[in-house]
Amino acid sequence: VTNPTVRAGGRPRLFTPGPVEIPERVLRALAQAPPHHRTGEFRAALLRVTAELKALHGTAGEVFVLAASGTGAMEAAVVNLMGPGDHALAVAGGSFGTRWVRLLEAYGVPCATVAVEWGRPLPSAELARRLDAEPRARTVFATQCETSTGTLYDIEGFARVTRERGIRLVVDAITGVAVHPLPQDAWGVDAVVCGSQKGLMIPPGLATLSLAPWATDAIDGVRLPRFYFDLRKYRKGLPTGDTAFTPAVSLVLALEESLAMIREEGLGAVHARHARVARAARAGAVAAGFSSFSSSPSHAVTALLPPGGVDAGAVVQRMRDVHGMVVAGGQDQLQGRLVRVGHMGAYTVGDMEDVSGALAECAAALGAARIEPGAAAAAARAAGQD
Amino acid sequence: VTNPTVRAGGRPRLFTPGPVEIPERVLRALAQAPPHHRTGEFRAALLRVTAELKALHGTAGEVFVLAASGTGAMEAAVVNLMGPGDHALAVAGGSFGTRWVRLLEAYGVPCATVAVEWGRPLPSAELARRLDAEPRARTVFATQCETSTGTLYDIEGFARVTRERGIRLVVDAITGVAVHPLPQDAWGVDAVVCGSQKGLMIPPGLATLSLAPWATDAIDGVRLPRFYFDLRKYRKGLPTGDTAFTPAVSLVLALEESLAMIREEGLGAVHARHARVARAARAGAVAAGFSSFSSSPSHAVTALLPPGGVDAGAVVQRMRDVHGMVVAGGQDQLQGRLVRVGHMGAYTVGDMEDVSGALAECAAALGAARIEPGAAAAAARAAGQD
């Protein structure tokens, strides 16, 4: 198979739900000899990064940068916001919503679970009903984009429900930040968790937790056992750019660069581009014979069911082997059923044309009715117009 | 002041207790576009890294690679090895020994503390006496190189004491690995914690925990609350190079390169070089009018008291401003009293000649009797011979 989209040198292109392709500018920032963290040079960089993250999250509160992957920041949210005897409610409609449940269980937090059908959204009225039936649950743990199913949840609606009831809302926006809007203070979200290897376009290893201004005192007092993730330790250094523990210096410098890229493009334009790219991905895949798994598709990850008779795992394999493109399969209960295409960060409609054409080739090669790759690519291009 | 040791371009040279200077080879590894972590390419890299780390630690057990700084791996040791009701004993002779105590306290672990005078070693007979007086303490938490004081502890002796008593020994070797020998299985150390930004010569953000073969089942059963650091989750992927959570891919590839450098030089040669460099650092500093703070100096960090009448903070500042060298001051109770010179990783006796000359210039400029920088450098060179 001759494929013009295979990259010179044979390095595969990443279209996964994270880590994502790293822009050249960010790789150059990574490659610099890093300064020591107890120097004015690094402190100034960390202060700039923290200020940019506050702007990105739309919060006047506090943003903490942790050396960990996203799950570490999820754990930080649990251990800093929950105390002994506190009850929680978690929205679980996929692997990452379920991760909140497992995390809360690991710390012995009594937790009511709203089990949402995978790939379906949760109407905020349903969240309200469940909260009213669980009066002891004073903190809700939810997900903005459920990566395992490519589903977007209505965080603005969830926040309306929790605010009305004086309940805290903690959102895993690891695959949502810099993809979908989540203006934290305006919507009324108490805490937002984020990871580096998604919309922030840097390699994995950094995670952030942001607290809205009215929620900053929520981490004080007796909470679950905490040390490495004890945000009170990080808070001390926030005004000066000092850190409680040795920070992941190189990744912070890379983040400074990627945040500059987002600022230059404009956050609104970044969100609009992700919307176009996601539309292109869906339309191209549908033209190639696939169907969208989620009834509330996110702009971060497109979860696809292959055409009847085509094995999802074989598509993932052939995308890699023939087309030089890494896409993901399904997780947990969706293992072997889905093809997931990630497009968080520096992706374009043109990338989705390539992916759509490749998906069409794979489907035909694996037994589906033949669809011209160019037709799938054209459908992606058409859907990706403004 | 004309100083031939200031680097072209003005970037300061790092001589801190970590992060350390990153070799060019490692920076190049960092700058490559990283592969996705769920690919054969990354799995193979992680398997190679894990095998190299086992060789480095001298263990046939298990090594876990965590996306965290060293303190995260210390926390992993506590939450995976200690269960409810377990008692500990911690050796605290500086900021990092005290960190074990604070960590155990944060999780409510009853902990007896052996408060060692800062800068002094702990005779293993004294550890034995304390353990015999604290029969409930079945796990000892200790430090190989106490970074805050530049002190080396006798881990081989500690392990003899704990083995005789069937007590577990957990060692923070964050600044010890690839500097001083610590053959884990041969000495009988149950668990060793390590960080990336020290002897391993990569930027901060990775930490490891290794379990001796007879200690691998110590993480099973009811333990303290754990999720992100739950080593049972990491263990599942060890045979295949899979990870429980998204790994810090770039840093793992950088670590592969630095471990290759250590293998090429030879671990014995690496240890011998650190011994020479440390001797040179001490002798040069003493010739410059400083005195060694520790009575058991490590090969990782040299802790120095400035000549009488000279302010340690002013030395640190002048080393940076005039000589383009970042050294560290004292921490906690030693704040303002020490100058600490780090020399873990890719340092040479020649580097210590430069540092010694600069220290002599600083001391004289800040009020001490003038000593010729060349004389201090010569003393370093002489002491650094084989």
Side-chain angles (χ1 to χ4, degrees), chain B residues 181-195:
Chain B
L182 200 169
Q184 180 170 3
D185 292 0
W187 284 4
V189 180
D190 296 84
V192 175
V193 164
C194 183

Side-chain angles (χ1 to χ4, degrees), chain B:
Chain B
V1 177
T2 305
N3 195 319
T5 66
V6 171
R7 197 196 300 269
R11 195 176 74 74
R13 297 162 72 180
L14 299 187
F15 296 102
T16 71
V20 301
E21 287 284 345
I22 313 297
E24 281 295 321
R25 277 173 69 172
V26 174
L27 288 175
R28 278 199 296 273
L30 257 185
Q32 66 190 294
H36 192 258
H37 59 298
R38 308 276 184 221
T39 55
E41 184 182 355
F42 180 75
R43 289 189 184 97
L46 186 57
L47 288 173
R48 287 191 299 270
V49 163
T50 305
E52 288 280 0
L53 286 170
K54 286 172 69 171
L56 184 72
H57 283 294
T59 185
E62 293 175 333
V63 183
F64 302 93
V65 179
L66 309 173
S69 56
T71 304
M74 291 172 72
E75 182 155 333
V78 168
V79 299
N80 284 283
L81 295 169
M82 305 301 286
D86 288 348
H87 287 244
L89 182 141
V91 178
S95 301
F96 292 91
T98 304
R99 185 162 291 180
W100 279 128
V101 178
R102 298 279 170 271
L103 238 170
L104 291 158
E105 284 173 354
Y107 279 87
V109 177
C111 175
T113 303
V114 182
V116 185
E117 192 186 340
W118 288 36
R120 300 288 165 272
L122 176 70
S124 56
E126 174 63 15
L127 176 65
R129 201 186 61 73
R130 286 301 301 272
L131 277 172
D132 293 340
E134 302 278 354
R136 289 179 304 181
R138 306 305 298 164
T139 309
V140 169
F141 291 86
T143 315
Q144 185 181 27
C145 292
E146 173 56 60
T147 317
S148 62
T149 65
T151 299
L152 176 70
Y153 293 96
D154 174 18
I155 298 303
E156 187 174 14
F158 290 6
R160 210 174 295 122
V161 165
T162 53
R163 275 212 320 277
E164 280 167 9
R165 288 163 179 75
I167 287 173
R168 231 176 258 300
L169 177 60
V170 181
V171 174
D172 160 7
I174 293 172
T175 54
V177 164
V179 175
H180 287 279
L182 200 169
Q184 180 170 3
D185 292 0
W187 284 4
V189 180
D190 296 84
V192 175
V193 164
C194 183
S196 61
Q197 74 279 19
K198 312 274 185 169
L200 295 181
M201 305 181 288
I202 76 164
L206 279 190
T208 65
L209 190 149
S210 70
L211 292 175
W214 61 83
T216 53
D217 61 357
I219 67 172
D220 298 324
V222 178
R223 294 291 179 267
L224 295 173
R226 50 181 167 165
F227 191 85
Y228 183 65
F229 293 128
D230 186 344
L231 298 180
R232 294 169 305 177
K233 297 185 199 298
Y234 295 78
R235 169 174 287 162
K236 283 185 202 154
L238 278 186
T240 55
D242 277 295
T243 57
F245 307 115
T246 309
V249 178
S250 302
L251 293 173
V252 170
L253 298 182
L255 182 56
E256 185 179 12
E257 191 67 23
S258 71
L259 289 168
M261 291 177 68
I262 292 171
R263 177 168 27 81
E264 289 162 18
E265 184 174 354
L267 187 56
V270 168
H271 292 151
R273 176 170 53 78
H274 279 85
R276 286 196 306 277
V277 167
R279 281 201 310 269
R282 279 196 303 281
V286 166
F290 291 71
S291 51
S292 176
F293 175 73
S294 177
S295 61
S296 171
S298 86
H299 299 164
V301 175
T302 296
L304 299 166
L305 294 163
V310 173
D311 179 66
V315 173
V316 172
Q317 190 66 47
R318 189 174 176 87
M319 287 289 283
R320 169 70 193 244
D321 293 345
V322 173
H323 299 278
M325 296 178 182
V326 184
V327 297
Q331 286 176 292
D332 297 332
Q333 68 183 57
L334 295 172
Q335 192 132 30
R337 287 186 56 207
L338 291 187
V339 175
R340 291 181 301 145
V341 178
H343 32 68
M344 291 164 278
Y347 294 93
T348 64
V349 169
D351 289 325
M352 296 307 116
E353 296 177 39
D354 295 347
V355 168
S356 301
L359 286 172
E361 190 283 332
C362 289
L366 294 167
R370 175 162 174 79
I371 287 155
E372 198 55 49
R381 182 164 52 248
Q385 304 301 308
D386 274 320

Side-chain angles (χ1 to χ4, degrees), chain A residues 64-83 100 103-104 107 139 141 170-171 174 191-194 207-211 218-220 223-232 234 245, chain B residues 75 107 227-229:
Chain A
F64 302 93
V65 179
L66 309 173
S69 56
T71 304
M74 292 172 73
E75 181 155 334
V78 169
V79 299
N80 283 282
L81 295 169
M82 304 302 286
W100 279 128
L103 237 169
L104 291 158
Y107 278 88
T139 309
F141 291 86
V170 180
V171 174
I174 293 171
V192 174
V193 164
C194 182
T208 65
L209 190 150
S210 70
L211 292 176
I219 67 172
D220 297 324
R223 295 290 178 269
L224 296 172
R226 50 182 168 164
F227 191 85
Y228 183 66
F229 293 129
D230 185 345
L231 298 180
R232 295 169 304 177
Y234 294 79
F245 307 115
Chain B
E75 182 155 333
Y107 279 87
F227 191 85
Y228 183 65
F229 293 128

Side-chain angles (χ1 to χ4, degrees), chain A residues 20-65:
Chain A
V20 300
E21 288 284 344
I22 314 296
E24 281 294 321
R25 278 174 68 172
V26 174
L27 288 175
R28 279 199 297 274
L30 256 185
Q32 66 191 296
H36 191 258
H37 58 298
R38 307 276 185 222
T39 57
E41 184 182 353
F42 180 75
R43 287 188 185 98
L46 186 57
L47 288 173
R48 286 191 299 268
V49 163
T50 305
E52 288 280 358
L53 286 170
K54 286 172 69 172
L56 184 72
H57 283 295
T59 185
E62 293 175 334
V63 183
F64 302 93
V65 179

